[in-house]
Amino acid sequence: MNKILSERKIGIFFFIDFRKAFDLIPTDILLFKLKFGYGFDDDSIRLLSDYFKNRAQYVKIDSILSTICEVLLGVPQGSVLGPLLFLLFINDLLYFLKEFLTILFADDTSLGLDDINYNDLLNRFKNAAKNLINWCKFNKLDINWKKSEIMFVTNKQNIIIPEFIYFKTELIFK
């Protein structure tokens, strides 16, 4: 941010909230990435595959228990492996968002972009965001637009920050 201000640029930061991030990770895609993207051997993949199989859950309210349901998606929260597996799953996002400064920390993802010209910045942001949308579709993750935030940073005078930014049909800033 200091660099943006000292160079008299305009910065846009996008703080992404993935909808039910840990709960909706498709384990088949995760295992594929681990094997072919990270080079995990077959024994490691079998071990992790077993880790994801035969998981069940139920809900308890007071003394009433729901029926037990098999868990088919997600990485276990509260486990030591959960945040690591999630990060390994989204780590390839960096390759799809080369234009953004990207910071990944557990399920918090922050993107940054700067430019001297405001209109150029918005156009670059919208074009780069298309790659984010495509990555999400391919990886079966959704952005929770209502919980995601955009922040502009500048010390330039006479910059009018829009009240709304639309990307396709999604309102991504208000």
Side-chain angles (χ1 to χ4, degrees):
M1 264 192 244
N2 288 335
K3 184 177 177 188
I4 291 169
L5 296 174
S6 68
E7 294 178 0
R8 300 206 28 87
K9 291 183 174 181
I10 305 161
I12 187 169
F13 294 91
F14 187 20
F15 305 100
I16 300 171
D17 181 83
F18 288 110
R19 189 179 325 273
K20 303 239 181 231
F22 281 79
D23 296 335
L24 296 179
I25 295 293
T27 54
D28 57 336
I29 295 175
L30 173 60
L31 293 171
F32 178 86
K33 288 181 179 189
L34 294 175
K35 180 171 179 128
F36 297 104
Y38 294 101
F40 281 43
D41 64 16
D42 289 339
D43 290 335
S44 299
I45 295 299
R46 273 193 297 279
L47 179 67
L48 283 168
S49 182
D50 286 344
Y51 178 66
F52 292 122
K53 288 181 182 169
N54 299 320
R55 292 184 299 144
Q57 68 181 20
Y58 64 89
V59 176
K60 179 180 179 184
I61 300 176
D62 295 326
S63 62
I64 301 170
L65 297 177
S66 70
T67 57
I68 294 176
C69 297
E70 185 179 4
V71 177
L72 302 173
L73 291 171
V75 295
Q77 292 186 50
S79 68
V80 174
L81 282 179
L84 175 63
L85 291 171
F86 182 80
L87 278 175
L88 290 171
F89 183 79
I90 67 168
N91 196 47
D92 65 334
L93 183 60
L94 300 171
Y95 300 106
F96 290 85
L97 303 178
K98 290 181 181 178
E99 185 148 6
F100 283 113
L101 164 68
T102 306
I103 300 169
L104 306 174
F105 182 77
D107 62 341
D108 293 322
T109 302
S110 303
L111 308 175
L113 197 59
D114 64 63
D115 205 302
I116 293 172
N117 181 283
Y118 174 75
N119 289 324
D120 291 344
L121 175 66
L122 274 184
N123 287 331
R124 285 177 54 221
F125 173 78
K126 287 180 180 181
N127 286 331
K130 288 177 187 176
N131 290 332
L132 171 65
I133 301 300
N134 289 334
W135 182 91
C136 288
K137 285 180 185 175
F138 180 80
N139 288 279
K140 300 179 183 174
L141 281 184
D142 290 323
I143 295 173
N144 186 342
W145 295 101
K146 291 181 179 163
K147 289 186 176 180
S148 297
E149 297 287 337
I150 291 182
M151 177 177 76
F152 287 89
V153 174
T154 189
N155 58 4
K156 288 188 170 192
Q157 301 296 320
N158 302 324
I159 298 291
I160 299 171
I161 304 300
E163 190 173 339
F164 301 100
I165 295 176
Y166 284 93
F167 179 75
K168 294 192 179 189
T169 60
E170 297 287 350
L171 173 67
I172 60 172
F173 176 68
K174 65 175 188 175

